[in-house]
Amino acid sequence: MIQSSPPIGRQDVGLHGLEALRQRSHLIAACSAAGLAIGALSYMLQPPRYVAEAVIALDGRRIQSMPVDQVVTPLPQENPVLRTELDRISSRVMAQRVIDKLAAEGGEPFEGNASGPPIRIAQPARGGMAGWLGRLRGNTAPKQQDPRSALEARLRANLDVVNDGRSYTIYIAYSADDAALAARVANAYARAYLDYQDDVQIEATRRVSDWLEVRLATLGAKLQQAEQNAERFKASSGLFEMGGVTIAAQRVSALSAELITARAAKATAEARERTAALLSTRQDGLDGFSDVLGSPIIQQLRVSQSQLERRLQVLRDTGASQSVEIPVLTSELQTVRQQIDREVEHILVSLRNEIDTAARRVTSIEGQLRAAEADYGGSDTARVKLEGLVREANADRAVYESLLGRAKQIGDRKELTDPGVRLISEATVPARPSNPRLLPTMLLGLLSGAGVGVCLALLLGRLDPRVRSRHALEAATGVPVLATIPTLPRRAGREPASQIVQDPRSAFAEAFATLQWMLRLSPAMRRAGVLMVTSALPGEGKTTLALSLARSMARSGRSVVLVDADLHGQSVALMAGAATADDHRGLAAYLSGDLDLEQVVVPDPETPLQLIIARGMEEEKPSLLADKRLAMLIAALRDRFDAVILDTPAILASSDAAQIGAHADAVLFVARWGWTPFESVTASIERLAFCGQTVRALVLNRVSMRVHRSFERPGSVGRAPATPPARPPAASDSPVVQMREA
């Protein structure tokens, strides 16, 4: 019956991240040291470079000798303008100015300096392989560059013009092999830029002056002609003026003003009449009217009315209601009131008469104005034409006077220019070179080497397919690793299996002591009387591990037999020294029926272990392992010994392991640390699972314990101690195995 196999993780088992960096720290250190050495070499080989810097600034202030504008406005204090000025300083035109200025000062700028090989057009892009390919395509060789152009190119290549982005200051830096040359060129650039700004002002002023001279001559002739035309037309049309205005126009203006006054008077009278009419509809409403209040007669009658009303009130208050004076006083009071009403009516009539008079005056003035306008309209066409001629002459005069004043101002300021740029600091001869610098060069080499080392470590960790981590192996196979067997130093000079007997306190022997007790305590392995030891590939040390494990178990007092089931290798006898070359007592002889069990079992020369070697036949018969005698042999050994260990061939190298595994109780799979690929381990476990054999435990063999710790996660190395305890561990000492099997 085929058993289900444990889950095999399909995950990337290579080293990643910090694990790869930690494991290959020596590679990173070597690359860092190499980068540091390269940085030191580069520092020694690079020629010294000196940088001199001149500082200029855009100045918004202007030199103003009189309140007039300049021909060329100052540079705006804006970032795009500042960037444009930086490009202008770095341009070829400015380089030509610098060359001319340096030549005028005396000597060529690079005279006496290492100028290097002749500069050729497109030299960087055409060198090496690119130049060779270009010649194959039939392209002509790079032509020699003009010496002045080469000088311009070199000036611009070593120039650095920057702005800090927070001010309007421009830093002009120049680097050269010679300190004095660097300062000289930097100052030449600053002065050339200032001269350029002055030249811009002077050239603009000259061009404007020339244009104004031509324009003033043209406008002067035009103005003279316009004034003559206006005077001739005025004389021919009879349009005489007084104070600049014709008589007809003065009469129309006077009548218009008089008409406005008359209409205003009429409107005032009408408003007073409407107010009086509105107040008359109310009781005693006209008492507060201004014309009524201002009438002396009405005021005198009001006084009389008040006296009569007061006397009547006194008589009524004293109780003399039957007095003969009351009727008299009442009659007089009634008469006074009637007189007041008549006076108010007279006032209203006078308001109406005033409105009529104002209306007749407005009508009369309107008639006079129409007559005056008719007279004035007769000369309207001539007057309009005259006004047009006058306006044209005045316009020409205004333009002429404006340009004349501007020309005089520009002429007075012709020699006074303001470039709007100030030289803040001249470049001085640098006392020490700016490049190369030791610390940055060494630091760059160190960081570059460390970066290369990190990349190589990550790449190698990513591409490394070999088993190096116990936890990665468990994650990839789903099978616990019971023990890690350390590798023996090469200076030991003896077989590893002999270490169990000759040095039982060594880490190698203690590791096998721990392994046998883990096998006895593991729930999956404790009942296994027949244990098959196998591996994925030859050379993983499974035979050495099987012999060492069997010897360790035999020394602990158990009866153990080791069967060398690898009919191809037959290595157990040679390792144990249990048989000579002509000794044919072995497994093959038993399986073929030539010998019985007692004849093939031989003792181990160093321990109580019993051995069955693989010798016994001259010719190999593939059908021996499929014979029923193998099952009989294993059954007999199971009854006779406490433990039976089968050393089988590698799974991927032979199919014998699958045939032998059918008779085993458990499979102990051996993987060589740092040698066996993960894919080989998983493929072998899958092949055994397909044959119905489940791998219950793994062993990492030939482990370099010092290096192995760097592959384990922090805090997890303690699960696989380098020196296992010799005593049998308690149940709490193997929590990993118990938890995984549960």
Side-chain angles (χ1 to χ4, degrees), residues 156-168:
R156 298 177 62 196
N158 297 324
L159 179 67
D160 187 19
V161 184
V162 297
N163 171 261
D164 57 7
R166 298 171 298 178
S167 64
Y168 302 108

Side-chain angles (χ1 to χ4, degrees), residues 358-603:
R360 286 192 296 272
R361 177 174 174 77
V362 168
T363 302
S364 175
I365 294 175
E366 287 177 350
Q368 295 177 12
L369 180 60
R370 283 192 296 271
E373 288 177 347
D375 296 339
Y376 183 73
S379 60
D380 184 65
T381 303
R383 184 178 64 255
V384 170
K385 184 176 180 180
L386 177 62
E387 290 178 354
L389 294 174
V390 172
R391 281 196 302 271
E392 182 179 356
N394 291 337
D396 292 340
R397 181 181 294 104
V399 175
Y400 179 81
E401 292 176 352
S402 175
L403 293 181
L404 182 61
R406 184 60 173 166
K408 291 181 178 181
Q409 294 171 359
I410 293 175
D412 295 338
R413 292 175 52 91
K414 185 176 296 184
E415 302 300 329
L416 182 61
T417 60
D418 182 15
V421 182
R422 303 290 181 264
L423 178 62
I424 298 178
S425 174
E426 289 188 351
T428 59
V429 178
R432 63 183 64 180
S434 60
N435 284 311
R437 290 183 291 177
L438 179 60
L439 183 59
T441 303
M442 299 291 286
L443 184 59
L444 178 61
L446 178 63
L447 293 179
S448 301
V452 172
V454 168
C455 294
L456 288 178
L458 293 175
L459 181 61
L460 292 177
R462 180 78 178 183
L463 300 178
D464 191 359
R466 296 171 294 180
V467 175
R468 291 186 181 272
S469 170
R470 169 182 177 176
H471 296 282
L473 181 59
E474 290 178 345
T477 61
V479 181
V481 177
L482 292 187
T484 54
I485 308 302
T487 184
L488 286 177
R490 295 181 180 180
R491 63 178 180 273
R494 53 178 175 262
E495 284 290 337
S498 301
Q499 193 80 2
I500 301 295
V501 179
Q502 299 176 8
D503 191 4
R505 301 302 299 174
S506 64
F508 185 79
E510 293 290 351
F512 280 98
T514 300
L515 175 58
Q516 66 159 312
W517 285 110
M518 292 292 287
L519 291 173
R520 295 179 64 180
L521 296 176
S522 173
M525 307 294 289
R526 67 176 61 172
R527 297 181 182 86
V530 180
L531 180 65
M532 184 179 78
V533 179
T534 187
S535 64
L537 301 171
E540 298 191 54
K542 62 175 179 54
T543 301
T544 302
L545 185 141
L547 179 58
S548 300
L549 177 61
R551 284 180 173 179
S552 178
M553 296 173 68
R555 284 177 54 84
S556 66
R558 301 178 65 188
S559 60
V560 184
V561 60
L562 174 61
V563 179
D564 185 1
D566 188 357
L567 300 178
H568 304 280
Q570 304 177 4
S571 302
V572 173
L574 297 178
M575 289 184 183
T580 60
D582 57 351
D583 190 352
H584 297 288
R585 295 177 301 165
L587 179 62
Y590 175 83
L591 295 178
S592 62
D594 296 340
L595 299 175
D596 56 11
L597 179 59
E598 298 296 337
Q599 293 174 317
V600 297
V601 176
V602 297

Side-chain angles (χ1 to χ4, degrees), residues 230-242 244-249 375-376 378-387 389-390:
E231 291 298 329
R232 284 196 296 269
F233 182 78
K234 183 187 296 185
S236 62
S237 60
L239 295 176
F240 299 100
E241 297 179 352
M242 295 180 60
V245 182
T246 61
I247 297 176
D375 296 339
Y376 183 73
S379 60
D380 184 65
T381 303
R383 184 178 64 255
V384 170
K385 184 176 180 180
L386 177 62
E387 290 178 354
L389 294 174
V390 172

